[in-house]
Amino acid sequence: MTRRTIIVKRDVQAKGKANAAAERERLGRRGTLVINILSSPGAGKTTLLEATARHFAGRRTMAVLVGDLETDRDAQRLAPLVPTVQLTTGGACHLELPLVQQGLTALGDPAVDFLFIENVGNLVCPASHDLAEHLRVVLVSTTEGDDKPGKYPKMFRTSQAMVITKTDLLPYLPFSVDAVTEDARQIQPQLDVLSLSALHESGVSDWCEYLEQQYQRQLAAYHEPAAK
Amino acid sequence: MTRRTIIVKRDVQAKGKANAAAERERLGRRGTLVINILSSPGAGKTTLLEATARHFAGRRTMAVLVGDLETDRDAQRLAPLVPTVQLTTGGACHLELPLVQQGLTALGDPAVDFLFIENVGNLVCPASHDLAEHLRVVLVSTTEGDDKPGKYPKMFRTSQAMVITKTDLLPYLPFSVDAVTEDARQIQPQLDVLSLSALHESGVSDWCEYLEQQYQRQLAAYHEPAAK
């Protein structure tokens, strides 16, 4: 019976993987870059998305799916700026693709340039779930300490970019940008590293420029001419 | 088959519950207060335990079991101050009682006054696991934002105390101690609330006084005379 259970689990995982790949292909082909944003609770995902929405206003279209166990607090913050749907997991520690797809349908499946998925605040469970993203970004707040990558390696191993947030607090904290970068790159040598303070809007334009590059690269990969 | 699986799960949960209750009784009866410390990654669990160990040095005996997915970084910090065993979960997002009991055996099952269990940094999964603690304490860093209790309700509902950490950063942050307290007490009206900066050793003596009260209360509950 144990053996049968394992096989069932494998089938489910294989099907989930295929679904994520198909959804990624569909969204990429029509020109939407999907970005899965992950971090500890309170590292600044929503604040970064607010700043990102302000930066791209009138230049790029975007929408946000935001995940939490309970409440629609993050959606309330983002909705004045950008089309947003709150996904509540009802206790689960991460988002899964079917819930993301329901959220996308609720948004009207818009052909935006950027679709951001703000995952549940958690450095463990969300690392194991493919949400059809093209880009996985992990945020590390300066206030969390520079020892986090080695302690939560899967999150950093599966990410393409690390964004160091709350750099305005660096003068008051025992945190080294070099140390956290070195620690993360021991796990994932190709990791792109950015740092910013979204609250003080410092480094946000570099972050948006990075997103723009990723967007253009994806358009090129699908052999479509760059829009706009 | 689905039904049978559910029954098996219930049996396992019931057995786990009974084991935790028996271990709690055993440790309480011999005069050890077990404290399960939970928080997001980087909220300051290890720093608080370092300050606690310095405060109680020569006055109360203590030991620490510290949980992480990978690395023994936290144990390396604590070991110079206090008997410590690092528990690595190998990817799991929380500690469970059997691993805690292995750690206790590795420590030599010492009859200390305080046994601290520093859980994996995570505001979700650890809430569902009884580690035979007498006191569950959730840390919330001022840097995480004051909206966390409502977003992670189970963690706060199952805790007896909330410790607001990193209060030295309050001048630089959009964080209200009143707001986070009100939010948490809507979920758990009996919650004890303390605030401190372990890095600056501010509020640490109040925290240790609180632990001392809990310790004395437990001794009284088991009808033993207060030692020392």
Side-chain angles (χ1 to χ4, degrees), chain A residues 141-177:
Chain A
S141 158
T142 55
T143 63
E144 288 173 63
D146 50 30
D147 61 345
K148 292 300 162 289
K151 292 170 78 174
Y152 301 88
K154 188 170 186 181
M155 184 59 80
F156 293 81
R157 192 177 302 122
T158 62
S159 291
Q160 284 83 52
M162 171 173 78
V163 176
I164 302 165
T165 63
K166 308 194 189 186
T167 54
D168 55 297
L169 296 173
L170 277 172
Y172 316 111
L173 296 168
F175 181 95
S176 160
V177 170

Side-chain angles (χ1 to χ4, degrees), chain A residues 2-30:
Chain A
T2 307
R3 186 177 157 77
R4 195 189 299 166
T5 307
I6 289 168
I7 290 167
V8 169
K9 201 176 163 199
R10 276 196 190 141
D11 281 354
V12 170
Q13 284 180 338
K15 201 179 164 211
K17 230 172 166 174
N19 288 348
E23 186 70 340
R24 181 165 28 249
E25 170 79 14
R26 180 183 80 85
L27 291 165
R29 193 160 289 283
R30 80 166 187 208

Side-chain angles (χ1 to χ4, degrees), chain B residues 26-142:
Chain B
R26 180 182 81 83
L27 292 166
R29 191 159 291 284
R30 79 164 189 210
T32 295
L33 185 76
V34 183
I35 304 127
N36 188 358
I37 309 260
L38 309 107
S39 79
S40 299
K45 296 182 293 300
T46 311
T47 305
L48 179 57
L49 289 176
E50 288 172 315
T52 306
R54 281 192 292 268
H55 180 93
F56 279 127
R59 291 192 263 183
R60 286 282 171 215
T61 54
M62 60 181 269
V64 180
L65 300 173
V66 52
D68 274 301
L69 277 69
E70 301 277 351
T71 81
D72 64 348
R73 288 174 187 178
D74 289 348
Q76 282 183 33
R77 289 171 57 189
L78 289 162
L81 296 167
V82 69
T84 306
V85 164
Q86 177 83 43
L87 311 173
T88 47
T89 66
C93 54
H94 59 272
L95 292 176
E96 295 189 16
L97 184 60
L99 187 57
V100 166
Q101 288 174 316
Q102 284 175 39
L104 200 51
T105 302
L107 274 173
D109 195 18
V112 287
D113 301 326
F114 297 112
L115 174 67
F116 293 93
I117 305 168
E118 181 185 329
N119 221 308
V120 175
N122 191 317
L123 275 189
V124 187
C125 328
S128 302
H129 295 271
D130 186 344
L131 303 183
E133 69 265 26
H134 303 101
L135 186 66
R136 183 176 285 202
V137 179
V138 58
L139 271 53
V140 181
S141 158
T142 56

Side-chain angles (χ1 to χ4, degrees), chain A residues 2-219:
Chain A
T2 307
R3 186 177 157 77
R4 195 189 299 166
T5 307
I6 289 168
I7 290 167
V8 169
K9 201 176 163 199
R10 276 196 190 141
D11 281 354
V12 170
Q13 284 180 338
K15 201 179 164 211
K17 230 172 166 174
N19 288 348
E23 186 70 340
R24 181 165 28 249
E25 170 79 14
R26 180 183 80 85
L27 291 165
R29 193 160 289 283
R30 80 166 187 208
T32 295
L33 184 77
V34 183
I35 304 127
N36 189 359
I37 309 260
L38 308 108
S39 79
S40 299
K45 296 182 291 301
T46 311
T47 305
L48 179 57
L49 289 176
E50 288 173 314
T52 306
R54 281 193 291 269
H55 179 95
F56 279 128
R59 291 192 263 183
R60 286 281 171 215
T61 55
M62 61 180 269
V64 180
L65 300 172
V66 52
D68 275 301
L69 277 70
E70 301 277 351
T71 82
D72 63 349
R73 289 174 186 179
D74 289 348
Q76 283 182 34
R77 289 172 58 189
L78 289 162
L81 297 166
V82 69
T84 305
V85 164
Q86 178 83 45
L87 310 172
T88 47
T89 67
C93 54
H94 59 271
L95 292 176
E96 295 188 17
L97 184 61
L99 186 58
V100 166
Q101 288 174 315
Q102 284 174 38
L104 200 50
T105 303
L107 274 172
D109 194 18
V112 287
D113 300 327
F114 297 112
L115 174 67
F116 292 94
I117 305 169
E118 181 185 329
N119 221 307
V120 174
N122 191 316
L123 274 190
V124 188
C125 328
S128 302
H129 295 272
D130 186 344
L131 303 182
E133 70 264 26
H134 303 100
L135 186 67
R136 181 177 286 201
V137 179
V138 58
L139 270 52
V140 180
S141 158
T142 55
T143 63
E144 288 173 63
D146 50 30
D147 61 345
K148 292 300 162 289
K151 292 170 78 174
Y152 301 88
K154 188 170 186 181
M155 184 59 80
F156 293 81
R157 192 177 302 122
T158 62
S159 291
Q160 284 83 52
M162 171 173 78
V163 176
I164 302 165
T165 63
K166 308 194 189 186
T167 54
D168 55 297
L169 296 173
L170 277 172
Y172 316 111
L173 296 168
F175 181 95
S176 160
V177 170
D178 287 346
V180 77
T181 302
E182 192 183 329
D183 198 33
R185 285 200 172 137
Q186 282 199 356
I187 296 162
Q188 216 281 58
Q190 311 303 321
L191 199 69
D192 297 317
V193 178
L194 295 96
S195 60
L196 52 81
S197 165
L199 195 64
H200 293 227
E201 305 247 343
S202 155
V204 171
S205 57
D206 285 349
W207 154 249
C208 291
E209 177 58 31
Y210 176 76
L211 292 176
E212 178 70 24
Q213 286 167 9
Q214 301 299 315
Y215 175 75
Q216 294 294 342
R217 202 170 70 170
Q218 172 158 301
L219 282 188

